């Protein structure tokens, strides 16, 4: 009401002043003698001067510069009125009046104050720096009511986007000497406006619960106290419409559409009720599927082999997108950088069949004009730019753009990545915009394990994957458990010398208590160097060198004679390499595809130990449905002495994570005649895992994933002379276990629980029915 009154007062003043300027000349002309007493008639009145009164900071000349009436001009009431309005329009004055004094125009002004300080009170949900970005009024800026109202409107909108629709902001002005003011925004944030319900109308094939899992918006619940998905956001609602469309199109509903998405606010402004009205339509199948091209270098048979949609299958728009990518990539590798793949769809509605033809043509030449990167306040632009497979001036390629997005996701620096393509300054130019949202890249991890023999392990690891925003990787581990004391430092530069090379340094020192497994303690200290480079788009080679000092000490007097013989210290000089091939669809959370790792180490170029070690790891992911994912893993290893027996420290001690249900070192060769039945390690092993992830009925917002697994394999082939060590048993026999694994991405970090039941074992094996690990991020 106060602002409205001020506005009306100012309007009345303008009207009154204008009326006075119009009336005064006629009043003077009506005087006896026709106004001859020292004043000319109105049409003969000329302005001799413009005087400014009341100004403090603003020069009189500045005020006159906004006036349309100038000295020497014939007086015009309309020019006087326009001058008054123009002065108010500057925003410099709180009040202005204008009057005639003979032939002089007197302009009286009241200047708007200068802002001394802008403050916020009552805000806790939004940081002050976030509010500052929405406020135009700053210290040493002229105060105006219009700007204050604009700032309030923008801050209210910011609160609404954060889910607080009941927020109110009241600006307060504190008068100070010298026409200065403090501006204070008194904020009442109010509670977060939650989402009470999400309902669907028109859905017949999929339940409301199923569709709620599809969209990103979720109903409010107690466990979502760290999530923002249960607050109303109009932009998120638009995104949800697209998610629903994709979901139905991938399941055959080619005519699906979202009729409306309405958010109704409750009467008490406490919660929203969201309603999606959908039209599912009918399920379609693929009819005739073909590919045509006029490009000479493309082989028709090879193109047809890339077609993912098959006649008679349920229509799936996702398969069309994947086929377009495959055909575009095939054309690009054949020399057609500007090839366009356009799917032509012919719908036979009466038969509910869709015929599909992919047409490959030579498209218009388009080049990358500019690549804009936004949202990265910490990560340097070059860290993101080097993952993009195109540069300014290159031919635009959609497949390379998709691979660039995959590469950026693989960094795991960002919680959100949005890559868009906009028209450039010419028809043959395009602008690529990369918008990212940074996330925590440091982690503080805690781990613990428990076995049936009361064997406890605990550790702490501190790591940073994006040190100084340069993509450098640092990690240090410290274990202070009773069983093990470990300190490690690892430094990795994934773009060594600003090239696609990996360089790294490792420092380590550890002391481990193996008394429970093998009746000895072990100490190891050393350093390592790493250097890697890509062999192809999907494969890399990493070269390694390591020099370390190893010692076996505190051997128990009753330990196995094999352990007694290994007592002492040795030096190892090891060179090796890792070959890695990644063909997964996602480097962070794969759902299909496979990867492969082969490692080989050679000890003997210096030092006192000589052997050749080989290890292999392969993983395969295959989705049975959207909710059921199978993963398969096989890993194995073999170490062979070169002119010498393989030292005890270089044997394979397996169990724990490698084959669940058994303790670390719990499987493999063992001296059963020693009081502790000491494990002496193996020269070879091969293990396999089959795992099935399945829905557990819990809301996705909880972040709990469950799976059942089956582990199994063989371990053994020791090189101990049985005549010297008759108590060692080495049955290269099968071991197997099954169990349940629970993974929870909790607000405090990842937590994993493994429950296992052993099916096949040897009498001397050590079992572990439960394993636990936990961590947190910062």
């Amino acid at each position: 009401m106060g602002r409205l009154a001020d506005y009306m007062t100012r309007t009345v003043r303008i009207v009154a002043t204008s009326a006075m300027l119009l009336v005064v000349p006629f009043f003077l002309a009506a005087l006896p003698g026709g106004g001859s007493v020292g004043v000319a008639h109105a049409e003969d009145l000329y302005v001799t001067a413009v005087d400014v009164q009341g100004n403090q900071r603003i020069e009189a000349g500045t005020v006159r510069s906004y006036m349309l009436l100038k000295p020497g001009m014939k007086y015009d009431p309309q020019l006087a009125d326009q001058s008054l309005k123009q002065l108010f329009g500057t925003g410099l004055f709180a009040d202005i009046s204008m009057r005639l004094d003979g032939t002089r125009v007197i302009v009286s002004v009241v200047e708007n104050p200068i802002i001394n300080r802008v403050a916020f009170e009552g805000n806790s949900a939004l940081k002050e720096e976030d509010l500052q970005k929405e406020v135009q009024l700053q210290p040493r800026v002229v105060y105006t009511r219009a700007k204050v109202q604009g700032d309030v409107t923008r801050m209210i909108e910011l609160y609404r986007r954060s889910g607080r629709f009941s927020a109110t902001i009241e600006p307060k002005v504190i008068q100070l000497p010298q026409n200065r003011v403090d501006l204070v925004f008194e904020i009442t944030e109010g509670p977060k406006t939650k989402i009470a319900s999400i309902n669907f109308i028109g859905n017949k094939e999929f339940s409301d619960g199923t569709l709620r899992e599809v969209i990103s918006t979720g109903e409010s619940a107690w466990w979502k106290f760290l999530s923002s998905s249960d607050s109303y956001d109009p932009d998120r609602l638009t995104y949800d419409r697209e998610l629903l469309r994709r979901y139905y199109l991938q399941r055959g509903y080619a005519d699906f559409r979202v009729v409306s998405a309405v958010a109704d606010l409750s009467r008490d402004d406490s919660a929203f009720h969201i309603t999606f009205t959908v039209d599912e339509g009918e399920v379609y199948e693929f009819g005739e599927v073909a590919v045509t091209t006029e490009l000479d270098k493309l082989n028709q048979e090879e193109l047809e082999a890339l077609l993912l949609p098959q006649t008679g299958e349920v229509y799936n728009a996702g398969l069309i997108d994947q086929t377009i990518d495959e055909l575009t990539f095939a054309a690009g590798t054949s020399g057609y950088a500007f090839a366009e793949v356009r799917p032509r769809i012919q719908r036979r509605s009466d038969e509910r069949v869709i015929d599909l033809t992919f047409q490959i043509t030579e498209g218009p030449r388009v080049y990358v004009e500019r690549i804009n990167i936004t949202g990265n306040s910490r990560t340097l632009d070059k860290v993101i730019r080097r993952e993009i497979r195109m540069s300014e001036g290159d031919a635009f390629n959609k497949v390379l753009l998709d691979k660039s997005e995959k590469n950026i996701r693989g960094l795991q620096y960002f919680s959100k990545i949005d890559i868009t393509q906009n028209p450039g300054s010419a028809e043959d130019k395009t602008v690529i915009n990369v918008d990212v949202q940074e996330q925590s890249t440091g982690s503080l991890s805690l781990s613990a394990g428990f076995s049936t023999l009361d064997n406890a392990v605990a550790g702490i690891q501190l790591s940073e994957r994006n040190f100084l925003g340069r993509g450098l990787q640092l990690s240090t581990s410290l274990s202070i458990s009773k069983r093990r004391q470990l300190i490690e430092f690892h430094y990795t530069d994934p773009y060594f010398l600003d090239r696609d090379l990996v360089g790294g340094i490792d420092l380590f020192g550890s002391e481990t208590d193996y008394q429970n497994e093998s009746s000895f303690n072990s100490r190891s200290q050393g350093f390592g160097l790493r250097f890697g480079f890509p062999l192809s788009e999907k494969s890399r080679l990493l070269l390694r060198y390591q020099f370390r000092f190893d010692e076996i000490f505190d051997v128990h007097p009753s330990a196995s004679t094999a352990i007694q013989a290994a007592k002492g210290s040795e030096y190892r000089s090891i060179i090796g390499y890792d070959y890695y091939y990644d063909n997964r669809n996602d480097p962070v959370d794969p759902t299909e595809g496979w990867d492969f790792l082969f490692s080989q180490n050679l000890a003997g170029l210096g030092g006192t130990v000589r052997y050749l070690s080989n290890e292999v790891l392969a993983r395969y992911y295959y989705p049975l449905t959207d909710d059921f994912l199978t993963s398969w893993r096989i890993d194995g290893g073999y170490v062979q002495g070169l002119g010498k027996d393989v030292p005890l420290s270089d044997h394979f001690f397996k169990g724990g994570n490698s084959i669940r249900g058994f303790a670390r070192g719990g499987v493999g060769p063992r001296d059963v005649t020693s009081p502790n039945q000491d494990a002496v390690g193996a020269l070879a092993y091969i293990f396999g895992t089959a795992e099935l992830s399945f829905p557990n009925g819990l809301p996705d917002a909880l972040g709990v994933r469950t799976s059942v697994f089956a582990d199994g394999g063989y371990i053994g082939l020791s090189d101990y002379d049985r005549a010297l060590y008759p108590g060692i048993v080495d049955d290269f026999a099968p071991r197997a276990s099954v169990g349940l694994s629970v993974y929870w991405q909790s607000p405090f970090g990842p937590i994993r629980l493994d429950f296992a039941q052993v099916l096949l074992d040897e009498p001397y094996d050590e079992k572990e029915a439960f394993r636990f690990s936990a961590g947190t991020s910062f």
Side-chain angles (χ1 to χ4, degrees):
M1 290 298 292
R3 289 194 294 271
L4 178 61
D6 291 341
Y7 175 76
M8 295 180 62
T9 301
R10 190 180 73 175
T11 303
V12 170
R13 186 182 298 277
I14 293 174
V15 173
T17 303
S18 302
M20 181 183 69
L21 291 173
L22 292 171
V23 171
V24 166
F26 293 100
F27 175 75
L28 292 174
L31 290 174
S36 59
V37 286
V39 180
H41 291 282
E43 59 272 14
D44 299 326
L45 180 63
Y46 283 84
V47 177
T48 59
V50 176
D51 295 336
V52 179
Q53 299 176 355
N55 57 311
Q56 300 178 21
R57 301 184 316 274
I58 302 171
E59 297 291 336
T62 302
V63 177
R64 295 189 187 101
S65 68
Y66 290 104
M67 295 280 294
L68 300 180
L69 278 176
K70 307 289 184 181
M73 294 177 59
K74 189 174 182 178
Y75 178 78
D76 185 343
Q78 292 185 355
L79 288 179
D81 182 55
Q82 292 177 15
S83 298
L84 191 66
K85 293 178 179 178
Q86 192 156 308
L87 284 172
F88 267 112
T90 64
L92 298 173
F93 308 104
D95 194 14
I96 308 170
S97 63
M98 192 180 298
R99 61 185 176 87
L100 277 174
D101 184 3
T103 59
R104 306 172 68 88
V105 175
I106 309 300
V107 181
S108 299
V109 298
V110 177
E111 295 176 349
N112 272 324
I114 294 293
I115 294 178
N116 176 67
R117 182 175 65 97
V118 177
F120 304 89
E121 294 182 355
N123 60 301
S124 60
L126 293 181
K127 297 180 181 179
E128 185 168 320
E129 50 264 32
D130 295 330
L131 296 173
Q132 284 283 6
K133 296 176 182 178
E134 304 297 325
V135 174
Q136 292 184 348
L137 289 173
Q138 302 292 335
R140 298 182 297 279
V141 173
V142 175
Y143 168 88
T144 66
R145 297 181 184 274
K147 289 183 178 179
V148 171
Q149 187 58 43
D151 289 344
V152 169
T153 300
R154 282 187 292 275
M155 287 189 288
I156 288 292
E157 180 62 24
L158 187 64
Y159 270 104
R160 290 194 170 194
R161 289 196 172 274
S162 68
R164 299 180 184 272
F165 280 75
S166 60
T168 59
I169 301 176
E170 184 69 26
K172 299 291 185 181
V173 176
I174 302 175
Q175 300 290 340
L176 299 175
Q178 301 177 350
N179 200 25
R180 295 177 300 119
V181 296
D182 283 346
L183 177 60
V184 180
F185 293 100
E186 294 185 353
I187 302 173
T188 303
E189 294 181 327
K192 219 172 186 182
T193 309
K194 299 294 185 178
I195 296 178
S197 65
I198 300 176
N199 301 304
F200 296 86
I201 298 175
N203 55 311
K204 300 177 182 178
E205 295 299 325
F206 301 100
S207 66
D208 285 14
T210 299
L211 297 181
R212 289 190 193 104
E213 297 295 334
V214 173
I215 62 177
S216 60
T217 304
E219 294 179 345
S220 300
W222 65 268
W223 61 78
K224 298 181 181 179
F225 59 93
L226 290 178
S227 172
S228 61
S229 65
D230 60 340
S231 60
Y232 172 69
D233 186 339
D235 293 337
R236 187 186 293 123
L237 207 62
T238 302
Y239 178 58
D240 289 338
R241 295 171 67 115
E242 178 62 18
L243 291 177
L244 288 171
R245 190 185 73 85
R246 292 180 186 177
Y247 183 80
Y248 272 91
L249 289 180
Q250 290 175 357
R251 286 156 181 80
Y253 295 87
D255 295 330
F256 172 82
R257 64 191 182 97
V258 178
V259 178
S260 65
V262 180
D264 294 319
L265 187 61
S266 61
R267 293 184 178 181
D268 58 358
D269 294 343
S270 62
F272 276 98
H273 298 270
I274 297 177
T275 303
F276 292 93
T277 302
V278 301
D279 181 5
E280 292 182 330
E282 301 290 340
V283 177
Y284 282 73
E285 294 180 351
F286 284 116
E288 297 180 3
V289 181
V291 56
T292 62
T293 181
E294 298 178 354
L295 304 181
D296 298 335
K297 297 180 182 179
L298 298 183
N299 183 283
Q300 182 71 25
E301 293 182 357
E302 293 179 356
L303 294 177
E304 291 176 354
L306 298 175
L307 299 179
L308 297 179
Q310 299 296 321
T311 301
E313 291 184 350
V314 175
Y315 174 81
N316 186 339
L319 294 179
I320 298 177
D321 294 336
Q322 294 178 38
T323 301
I324 292 174
D325 289 344
E326 293 290 340
L327 294 174
T328 303
F329 182 75
T333 55
S334 298
Y336 297 101
F338 302 97
E340 282 190 352
V341 180
R342 297 182 179 179
R344 301 299 184 186
I345 294 177
Q346 185 176 357
R347 182 171 302 167
R348 290 182 275 163
S349 301
D350 54 338
E351 302 177 41
R352 293 199 293 275
V353 170
I354 292 179
D355 295 329
L356 182 63
T357 302
F358 294 93
Q359 294 181 349
I360 306 177
T361 59
E362 183 72 27
R365 296 179 177 270
V366 179
Y367 298 90
V368 178
E369 178 180 15
R370 191 170 64 256
I371 299 176
N372 300 322
I373 299 176
T374 57
N376 54 318
S377 59
R378 178 168 176 260
T379 305
L380 299 182
D381 276 10
K382 72 174 185 179
V383 174
I384 303 173
R385 195 174 292 273
R386 66 196 184 193
E387 301 296 334
I388 301 175
R389 291 296 174 258
M390 291 179 290
S391 301
E392 283 89 347
D394 289 351
F396 175 79
N397 188 304
K398 179 64 167 59
V399 175
L400 293 180
L401 188 66
D402 292 341
K403 288 186 177 181
S404 301
E405 182 174 0
K406 179 180 177 181
N407 292 343
I408 297 173
R409 277 178 48 80
L411 294 174
Q412 301 185 50
Y413 301 163
F414 311 107
S415 59
K416 181 181 179 182
I417 302 166
D418 186 21
I419 299 182
T420 57
Q421 177 192 356
N422 295 326
S425 59
E427 291 184 358
D428 63 343
K429 295 181 180 179
T430 185
V431 176
I432 297 175
N433 297 310
V434 181
D435 184 46
V436 298
Q437 182 176 329
E438 293 183 311
Q439 66 179 3
S440 169
T441 56
S443 64
L444 174 65
S445 299
L446 306 174
S447 63
F450 306 92
S451 72
T452 54
L453 297 178
D454 197 27
N455 179 20
V457 180
I460 181 172
Q461 182 184 51
L462 187 68
S463 65
E464 171 58 60
R465 301 190 308 276
N466 188 18
F467 184 62
L468 299 177
R470 298 178 177 271
L472 303 176
Q473 301 170 10
L474 296 179
S475 70
T476 180
S477 300
L478 175 65
S479 175
I480 54 176
S481 67
K482 180 180 179 181
R483 180 181 181 275
R484 191 182 194 196
Q485 295 79 47
L486 167 69
I487 183 168
E488 290 181 308
F489 174 80
H490 303 282
Y491 167 82
T492 302
D493 185 350
Y495 271 80
F496 186 55
L497 301 177
D498 283 333
R499 297 178 180 271
D500 194 7
L501 306 172
V502 175
I505 300 174
D506 305 306
L507 303 173
F508 54 88
S510 67
E511 186 170 313
T512 308
D513 182 353
Y514 290 102
Q515 297 290 340
N516 189 51
E517 300 101 315
S518 304
S519 302
F520 71 90
N521 289 349
S522 173
R523 181 182 295 121
S524 181
Q525 303 165 8
F527 70 92
L529 303 174
R530 289 172 282 116
F531 179 77
F533 52 90
L535 296 177
S536 68
E537 186 69 26
K538 297 182 179 181
S539 62
R540 300 188 69 90
L541 185 68
L542 178 68
L543 307 178
R544 291 176 280 102
Y545 173 77
Q546 186 181 88
F547 184 86
R548 73 175 194 253
F549 166 80
D550 294 318
E551 182 182 9
I552 292 178
F553 65 101
D554 283 352
V555 176
H556 196 276
S558 63
S560 167
T561 53
I563 305 295
Q564 300 280 359
K567 182 178 180 180
S569 59
E570 291 175 310
Y571 293 91
R572 287 167 172 78
S573 178
I574 304 171
I575 61 171
Y577 67 89
D578 295 333
Y579 171 77
Y580 181 62
Y581 190 93
D582 188 358
N583 194 40
R584 298 173 297 172
N585 65 332
D586 191 291
V588 180
D589 190 15
T591 57
E592 61 180 314
W594 57 274
D595 62 346
F596 173 81
L597 173 66
F598 178 74
S599 300
Q600 195 169 54
N601 292 316
L602 174 64
L605 298 180
T608 60
V609 174
R610 292 178 177 83
Y611 65 81
L612 178 65
S613 175
N614 309 274
E615 289 190 87
V616 64
L617 167 67
R619 294 175 293 190
Y620 177 72
Y621 304 88
Y622 181 77
L624 297 178
T625 66
D626 291 337
D627 298 323
F628 291 85
L629 171 67
T630 62
S631 59
W632 309 78
R633 171 189 172 119
I634 184 170
D635 59 317
Y638 177 71
V639 58
Q640 179 181 4
L642 301 178
K644 293 184 176 182
D645 289 339
V646 179
L648 178 69
S649 298
D650 298 294
H651 287 190
F652 297 117
F653 291 81
K654 293 296 180 178
N657 288 329
S658 56
I659 179 167
R660 287 165 284 192
F662 296 91
R664 185 189 183 281
V667 292
R670 187 177 300 274
D671 190 341
V672 295
T673 61
S674 62
N676 193 38
Q677 292 197 347
D678 297 322
V680 295
L683 298 182
Y685 72 92
I686 182 168
F687 293 125
T689 294
E691 193 157 353
L692 172 66
S693 299
F694 60 92
N696 49 37
L698 297 175
D700 286 349
L702 279 179
V704 178
R705 293 183 295 178
T706 52
S707 62
V708 291
F709 63 84
D711 293 346
Y714 292 80
I715 184 169
L717 301 183
S718 62
D719 57 355
Y720 294 103
D721 188 337
R722 300 305 167 82
L724 299 176
Y725 310 109
I728 294 179
V729 292
D730 178 18
D731 297 313
F732 198 68
R735 273 83 166 180
S737 64
V738 295
L740 172 71
S741 182
V742 179
Y743 177 85
W744 179 30
Q745 185 61 48
S746 74
F748 316 102
I751 294 176
R752 186 182 184 94
L753 307 174
D754 290 316
F755 305 87
Q757 175 64 47
V758 174
L759 300 181
L760 293 175
D761 65 318
E762 293 301 305
Y764 48 83
D765 289 338
E766 294 184 2
K767 303 175 185 178
E768 180 183 74
F770 171 69
R771 192 169 184 85
F772 164 81
S773 63
T776 187
S777 298
F778 66 91

